Amino acid sequence: MVAFIILAVLLVTAGVGVITLRQPVHAALSLVAGILALAAIYVTLEAHFLAAIQVIVYAGAVMVLFLFVIMLLNVGRTRAASLKWLKPAAWVTGALSLAAVVTVVFVVQQPLPEFAVIDAALRGGNADAVGDALFTDHLLSFHLVGVLLLVGIVGAVALVQQTVPARRTRQGVAQQEPQDAPELVAAGEGN
Amino acid sequence: MVQTEYYVALSAILFALGGIGVLTRRSAIMLFLSIELMLNAANLAIIAYARQWSAVGAQHALDGQAAAFIVLAIAAAEVAVGLGILVAIFRNRVSTDVDELSEVRL
Amino acid sequence: MNDLVQLASLAPLLALAGAIINGLFGRSLRGNAPGVIASLAVAAGFVLSLIAFLGVRAGGAVRVRFGDFLVAGDLNIGLGFHFDQLSVLMMLIITGVGLLIHIYSIGYMQGDDGFSRYFAQLNLFVAAMLVLVMADSFPLMFVGWEGVGVCSFLLIGFWYKDLKNASAGRKAFIVNRVGDFGFLLAMFLTFKAFGTLDIQAVNAAAPSFAYGAAILTGIGLLYLLAAAGKSAQLPLHTWLPDAMAGPTPVSALIHAATMVTAGVYLIARTGGIFANAPSAAATVVWVAVLTALMAAIVAIGQTDIKKILAWSTISQVGFMVAAVGAGAYWAGIFHVLTHAFFKALLFLGAGSVIHALGGEQDVRKMGGLGRKMRVTGTTSLIATLAIAGVPFLSGYFSKDAILGALLTSSPLGNYGGQILFALLMVTAGITAFYMFRWYYLVFAGEPRSSAEYERAHESPAVMTVPLGILAVGSVLIGYVGLPAFLAPNAIQEWLAPVMAHVDFDHLNTSAEWMLLLGSVLVAAVGLGLGYWVYVIGSGELAKRIGNTPLANASRGAFGIDRLYRGLFTEPGEGLAEGVASLDRDVVDRGLTGVSGAVPLLGRLLVLLQSGYVRAYAFAMVLGVLALAVVAALIGVLA
């Protein structure tokens, strides 16, 4: 319980930081902290494998990518605000929907199974168990995700490719019109 | 053991925060960060319920975690492509202000 | 013989043909051709009426049926004409006097833009009036009734470009409408009571109905309403003075000789009903006498040469209606006959004066014209004496007949017959007075306006010849109705087969002589009074009289027009204005508001398209939340 509370506080703080910090790098690092906290929470939820993956993929790759782009684009200061009504509206909407969800979750309670039953039935969330599930029950989804990643790679490369400078056009020799010399000479003699 | 409701509440908080961030932040990158936050919140909810319903059968837990795994992969792909788009758009502009993209009229 | 009589059915058709020819092609006809065509049509009608008259004289009433008119359920009305003594007499009046007026009009309407239109409408009127008197059933009579109403409207507003004339025509039509409403209700009641709308059948069945039954009285009163509308009796008389806006020959034909007598004809025709509903008949007489008295008083104060004659017509028609109400149907028709002559003559004479003076109608600007317009002056004098009741002229005999009827009518005795007799005697005296005034102010004495006097000239022959013929008629026609105790009363005997039976007291010979002399006395008093005021007293006495309250009431026609204006016209206009503003402000604004709402809506929607991604994102968030709420609710409810 204590662990949960500490981690929860950490996570929420990180979330708030993401959305309020002015400097983009600060916000990105705040998200990293949040991801790490989230990984710890996964552990408490008996999803150890996923926690590891979270750290490796999310914190290690995705956030690094973010930081690269932030530095690449030199995200600068913001201009004068338009849509002034949006900030308060967003906060209000967020608070209200949060309150609604929390109410629903805590008030409309389904009878949940006992803790002891859960603990015994769960098989530890370790790598080979999840891998088994992925490669047997969810094989199609797994492969589709692979294709999706491939598409993502290709798309990303295509997006950032610089436009190829146009080649200077030159007329091919075969297209040149043949001209007879005597006519040229005759035209010249006419002068 | 902490009850599932708390995890779900936490997920809701994070999701709401992410949503607010999407609407409030004006830089495109910050927008994206908020979206990632939302995705993570969703993942948390999935895994929390996965543990919950494992009481009915261990398979449910593994299904939930596999789903979370796939969501993770999709998030990664989405980040790649999304940031690529952002780079493509904002390469030639001075600022990354989303509001300046107001030519998009539905 | 029957066939010859039936030939008279062509008369309205000929008039109608004349109307159509003039109406469609009149504009392209040269010169007086439209007038000649119209006159020929009416002349042919006169000849046919004459033939019918002789035929009926020889062989009695003739009926002809052309087919079905209205057949529905229990109702079976045929299209047919009924030629009996009464209808052929009316036909002769209509076509005879009508012919003279048509010929006169050729001269009067010379040079007018609407020359052919005038004759088309005049012919149409003759056709409708003939149908009215020839009809054998109430609905067909109603067709003619409405037809003359329409033609009256058209002809009153003949010079429609002037709004006053058009308004006068409209007023005539609307007031007539009230009467028509009475006619319709009477028809409905008649059908309910008798099961048929055939005139002869109704008259035959009436006596076997309970005497004085309520339904008979109701029918009678409704027919009185109809007659009041058409014949300009109280309370529906207000249209006739305004109708003088039309051309003068129109006033002569329609508003003196024929249309205004349609009401008299109606009551005479339905004599069977009135004879068996004494209270209705008495109402008729009271209305008529009061009208006659009132109109005579008003006529004294008028200054327009035609308006004096208009009020005089109202008064004289009151005499006729009183006669038929009292049960002396023949006397009323007799006065119709004589009045047609001398009133038409008076109007045509007035028209001659107006024509000569280039449109002047104010008698205060006339005077002494008799010296310059000999024929007009002389014939007008004859007519004046006739209407005043001077002995040996036509008016004397017909008026005497009416007065005698009022005194001796047996059913009328219960309802104040003697009072009515006295009132009508007084009215006769007043008639003499104002007619003297009319003649004197126009034709005699010194000219009051030298400009007008200089301009005056006698009218062309086409106008003066009809005047002469009518003058002869005004003198001689009275002899068809000599008092019964002196000589055979031709017209009473002629109409006897058609008239319903009403009891009359018998006066002994000395009483009869007293009556005759009394009429002479009354006429003499009236004329003498006129002479005294205008000739001997010249201007001063007339002016003094003119300032009395009675004179003011006379000039303002007892304020009845103003009363109607306040009671009906202004609320009606207010209602119309209210509805119009409702239409303008509510309906129109509502419509433009609806059509204005669309751009408004569009402008609102445009606000959504700000182009800002974040705004769109917010919209998506809201949408998702809404969906979530709906899903949750479904989940909860299910």
mmCIF file of all heavy atoms in Angstrom, chain A residues 53-76:
data_model
loop_
_atom_site.group_PDB
_atom_site.id
_atom_site.type_symbol
_atom_site.label_atom_id
_atom_site.label_comp_id
_atom_site.label_asym_id
_atom_site.label_seq_id
_atom_site.Cartn_x
_atom_site.Cartn_y
_atom_site.Cartn_z
ATOM 1 N N ILE A 53 10.069 -4.165 -20.288
ATOM 2 C CA ILE A 53 9.867 -3.673 -21.661
ATOM 3 C C ILE A 53 9.575 -2.173 -21.629
ATOM 4 O O ILE A 53 10.076 -1.406 -22.467
ATOM 5 C CB ILE A 53 8.704 -4.423 -22.331
ATOM 6 C CG1 ILE A 53 9.069 -5.879 -22.557
ATOM 7 C CG2 ILE A 53 8.322 -3.767 -23.635
ATOM 8 C CD1 ILE A 53 10.193 -6.066 -23.551
ATOM 9 N N GLN A 54 8.757 -1.773 -20.685
ATOM 10 C CA GLN A 54 8.416 -0.368 -20.549
ATOM 11 C C GLN A 54 9.675 0.473 -20.431
ATOM 12 O O GLN A 54 9.848 1.473 -21.131
ATOM 13 C CB GLN A 54 7.515 -0.182 -19.327
ATOM 14 C CG GLN A 54 7.247 1.248 -18.919
ATOM 15 C CD GLN A 54 5.930 1.773 -19.512
ATOM 16 O OE1 GLN A 54 5.417 1.211 -20.459
ATOM 17 N NE2 GLN A 54 5.414 2.838 -18.945
ATOM 18 N N VAL A 55 10.537 0.089 -19.555
ATOM 19 C CA VAL A 55 11.756 0.859 -19.352
ATOM 20 C C VAL A 55 12.596 0.861 -20.623
ATOM 21 O O VAL A 55 13.056 1.895 -21.097
ATOM 22 C CB VAL A 55 12.585 0.297 -18.171
ATOM 23 C CG1 VAL A 55 13.926 1.000 -18.088
ATOM 24 C CG2 VAL A 55 11.819 0.500 -16.876
ATOM 25 N N ILE A 56 12.792 -0.298 -21.192
ATOM 26 C CA ILE A 56 13.660 -0.385 -22.357
ATOM 27 C C ILE A 56 13.083 0.404 -23.523
ATOM 28 O O ILE A 56 13.758 1.257 -24.120
ATOM 29 C CB ILE A 56 13.871 -1.859 -22.768
ATOM 30 C CG1 ILE A 56 14.614 -2.619 -21.682
ATOM 31 C CG2 ILE A 56 14.645 -1.935 -24.080
ATOM 32 C CD1 ILE A 56 14.653 -4.102 -21.914
ATOM 33 N N VAL A 57 11.870 0.090 -23.884
ATOM 34 C CA VAL A 57 11.299 0.683 -25.102
ATOM 35 C C VAL A 57 10.928 2.132 -24.870
ATOM 36 O O VAL A 57 11.363 3.034 -25.579
ATOM 37 C CB VAL A 57 10.057 -0.102 -25.555
ATOM 38 C CG1 VAL A 57 9.331 0.642 -26.668
ATOM 39 C CG2 VAL A 57 10.454 -1.480 -26.019
ATOM 40 N N TYR A 58 10.131 2.361 -23.842
ATOM 41 C CA TYR A 58 9.577 3.696 -23.676
ATOM 42 C C TYR A 58 10.640 4.680 -23.225
ATOM 43 O O TYR A 58 10.942 5.654 -23.899
ATOM 44 C CB TYR A 58 8.426 3.654 -22.658
ATOM 45 C CG TYR A 58 7.154 4.226 -23.214
ATOM 46 C CD1 TYR A 58 6.061 3.409 -23.452
ATOM 47 C CD2 TYR A 58 7.070 5.564 -23.530
ATOM 48 C CE1 TYR A 58 4.910 3.939 -23.981
ATOM 49 C CE2 TYR A 58 5.928 6.095 -24.066
ATOM 50 C CZ TYR A 58 4.834 5.269 -24.287
ATOM 51 O OH TYR A 58 3.710 5.787 -24.803
ATOM 52 N N ALA A 59 11.166 4.393 -22.075
ATOM 53 C CA ALA A 59 12.139 5.344 -21.553
ATOM 54 C C ALA A 59 13.403 5.351 -22.384
ATOM 55 O O ALA A 59 14.004 6.399 -22.621
ATOM 56 C CB ALA A 59 12.456 5.032 -20.097
ATOM 57 N N GLY A 60 13.765 4.176 -22.887
ATOM 58 C CA GLY A 60 15.040 4.090 -23.577
ATOM 59 C C GLY A 60 14.989 4.553 -25.018
ATOM 60 O O GLY A 60 15.920 5.162 -25.518
ATOM 61 N N ALA A 61 13.923 4.282 -25.732
ATOM 62 C CA ALA A 61 13.908 4.594 -27.157
ATOM 63 C C ALA A 61 12.998 5.772 -27.469
ATOM 64 O O ALA A 61 13.433 6.750 -28.086
ATOM 65 C CB ALA A 61 13.446 3.359 -27.936
ATOM 66 N N VAL A 62 11.760 5.657 -27.019
ATOM 67 C CA VAL A 62 10.779 6.680 -27.413
ATOM 68 C C VAL A 62 11.175 8.033 -26.851
ATOM 69 O O VAL A 62 11.196 9.047 -27.568
ATOM 70 C CB VAL A 62 9.388 6.271 -26.921
ATOM 71 C CG1 VAL A 62 8.404 7.397 -27.113
ATOM 72 C CG2 VAL A 62 8.915 5.024 -27.658
ATOM 73 N N MET A 63 11.525 8.086 -25.601
ATOM 74 C CA MET A 63 11.824 9.378 -25.008
ATOM 75 C C MET A 63 13.104 9.944 -25.575
ATOM 76 O O MET A 63 13.226 11.168 -25.738
ATOM 77 C CB MET A 63 11.913 9.258 -23.484
ATOM 78 C CG MET A 63 10.575 8.969 -22.832
ATOM 79 S SD MET A 63 9.193 9.911 -23.538
ATOM 80 C CE MET A 63 9.700 11.562 -23.167
ATOM 81 N N VAL A 64 14.048 9.066 -25.896
ATOM 82 C CA VAL A 64 15.279 9.549 -26.514
ATOM 83 C C VAL A 64 14.949 10.213 -27.837
ATOM 84 O O VAL A 64 15.464 11.274 -28.179
ATOM 85 C CB VAL A 64 16.260 8.376 -26.702
ATOM 86 C CG1 VAL A 64 17.420 8.802 -27.563
ATOM 87 C CG2 VAL A 64 16.749 7.902 -25.350
ATOM 88 N N LEU A 65 14.066 9.538 -28.586
ATOM 89 C CA LEU A 65 13.623 10.105 -29.867
ATOM 90 C C LEU A 65 13.008 11.488 -29.667
ATOM 91 O O LEU A 65 13.286 12.440 -30.408
ATOM 92 C CB LEU A 65 12.624 9.147 -30.503
ATOM 93 C CG LEU A 65 12.262 9.409 -31.958
ATOM 94 C CD1 LEU A 65 13.505 9.407 -32.825
ATOM 95 C CD2 LEU A 65 11.302 8.335 -32.448
ATOM 96 N N PHE A 66 12.199 11.589 -28.644
ATOM 97 C CA PHE A 66 11.571 12.864 -28.331
ATOM 98 C C PHE A 66 12.614 13.936 -28.089
ATOM 99 O O PHE A 66 12.542 15.043 -28.618
ATOM 100 C CB PHE A 66 10.682 12.731 -27.083
ATOM 101 C CG PHE A 66 9.236 12.620 -27.401
ATOM 102 C CD1 PHE A 66 8.585 11.418 -27.290
ATOM 103 C CD2 PHE A 66 8.528 13.737 -27.815
ATOM 104 C CE1 PHE A 66 7.246 11.324 -27.589
ATOM 105 C CE2 PHE A 66 7.186 13.641 -28.124
ATOM 106 C CZ PHE A 66 6.524 12.426 -28.014
ATOM 107 N N LEU A 67 13.608 13.580 -27.303
ATOM 108 C CA LEU A 67 14.609 14.568 -26.951
ATOM 109 C C LEU A 67 15.397 14.979 -28.173
ATOM 110 O O LEU A 67 15.734 16.148 -28.355
ATOM 111 C CB LEU A 67 15.529 14.009 -25.862
ATOM 112 C CG LEU A 67 14.859 14.010 -24.481
ATOM 113 C CD1 LEU A 67 15.651 13.174 -23.508
ATOM 114 C CD2 LEU A 67 14.750 15.436 -23.965
ATOM 115 N N PHE A 68 15.696 14.005 -29.031
ATOM 116 C CA PHE A 68 16.367 14.335 -30.284
ATOM 117 C C PHE A 68 15.590 15.384 -31.055
ATOM 118 O O PHE A 68 16.115 16.399 -31.514
ATOM 119 C CB PHE A 68 16.508 13.079 -31.152
ATOM 120 C CG PHE A 68 17.798 12.363 -30.979
ATOM 121 C CD1 PHE A 68 17.838 10.989 -30.818
ATOM 122 C CD2 PHE A 68 19.013 13.050 -31.000
ATOM 123 C CE1 PHE A 68 19.036 10.316 -30.663
ATOM 124 C CE2 PHE A 68 20.204 12.387 -30.842
ATOM 125 C CZ PHE A 68 20.226 11.015 -30.673
ATOM 126 N N VAL A 69 14.296 15.103 -31.227
ATOM 127 C CA VAL A 69 13.473 16.000 -32.060
ATOM 128 C C VAL A 69 13.362 17.365 -31.409
ATOM 129 O O VAL A 69 13.388 18.404 -32.090
ATOM 130 C CB VAL A 69 12.075 15.396 -32.297
ATOM 131 C CG1 VAL A 69 11.168 16.392 -32.997
ATOM 132 C CG2 VAL A 69 12.187 14.142 -33.123
ATOM 133 N N ILE A 70 13.234 17.355 -30.078
ATOM 134 C CA ILE A 70 13.128 18.650 -29.388
ATOM 135 C C ILE A 70 14.355 19.497 -29.686
ATOM 136 O O ILE A 70 14.251 20.678 -30.024
ATOM 137 C CB ILE A 70 12.977 18.443 -27.870
ATOM 138 C CG1 ILE A 70 11.566 17.941 -27.557
ATOM 139 C CG2 ILE A 70 13.204 19.757 -27.126
ATOM 140 C CD1 ILE A 70 11.406 17.495 -26.132
ATOM 141 N N MET A 71 15.479 18.844 -29.614
ATOM 142 C CA MET A 71 16.692 19.620 -29.855
ATOM 143 C C MET A 71 16.831 19.970 -31.319
ATOM 144 O O MET A 71 17.344 21.036 -31.658
ATOM 145 C CB MET A 71 17.901 18.840 -29.369
ATOM 146 C CG MET A 71 17.991 18.864 -27.866
ATOM 147 S SD MET A 71 19.162 17.692 -27.257
ATOM 148 C CE MET A 71 18.581 17.482 -25.618
ATOM 149 N N LEU A 72 16.356 19.066 -32.168
ATOM 150 C CA LEU A 72 16.475 19.330 -33.592
ATOM 151 C C LEU A 72 15.649 20.547 -33.995
ATOM 152 O O LEU A 72 16.087 21.409 -34.754
ATOM 153 C CB LEU A 72 16.017 18.100 -34.381
ATOM 154 C CG LEU A 72 16.066 18.228 -35.907
ATOM 155 C CD1 LEU A 72 17.499 18.354 -36.377
ATOM 156 C CD2 LEU A 72 15.424 17.013 -36.551
ATOM 157 N N LEU A 73 14.428 20.581 -33.475
ATOM 158 C CA LEU A 73 13.518 21.632 -33.925
ATOM 159 C C LEU A 73 13.667 22.907 -33.117
ATOM 160 O O LEU A 73 13.056 23.908 -33.431
ATOM 161 C CB LEU A 73 12.067 21.157 -33.831
ATOM 162 C CG LEU A 73 11.673 20.121 -34.873
ATOM 163 C CD1 LEU A 73 10.197 19.788 -34.754
ATOM 164 C CD2 LEU A 73 11.951 20.647 -36.280
ATOM 165 N N ASN A 74 14.438 22.857 -32.089
ATOM 166 C CA ASN A 74 14.666 24.076 -31.308
ATOM 167 C C ASN A 74 13.353 24.741 -30.934
ATOM 168 O O ASN A 74 13.057 25.879 -31.323
ATOM 169 C CB ASN A 74 15.513 25.045 -32.138
ATOM 170 C CG ASN A 74 16.123 26.098 -31.258
ATOM 171 O OD1 ASN A 74 16.164 25.955 -30.037
ATOM 172 N ND2 ASN A 74 16.594 27.156 -31.861
ATOM 173 N N VAL A 75 12.578 23.981 -30.211
ATOM 174 C CA VAL A 75 11.249 24.463 -29.843
ATOM 175 C C VAL A 75 11.392 25.706 -28.993
ATOM 176 O O VAL A 75 11.987 25.693 -27.924
ATOM 177 C CB VAL A 75 10.513 23.377 -29.044
ATOM 178 C CG1 VAL A 75 9.147 23.873 -28.627
ATOM 179 C CG2 VAL A 75 10.401 22.130 -29.894
ATOM 180 N N GLY A 76 10.927 26.764 -29.476
ATOM 181 C CA GLY A 76 11.154 28.054 -28.854
ATOM 182 C C GLY A 76 10.000 28.562 -28.012
ATOM 183 O O GLY A 76 9.164 27.806 -27.543
#
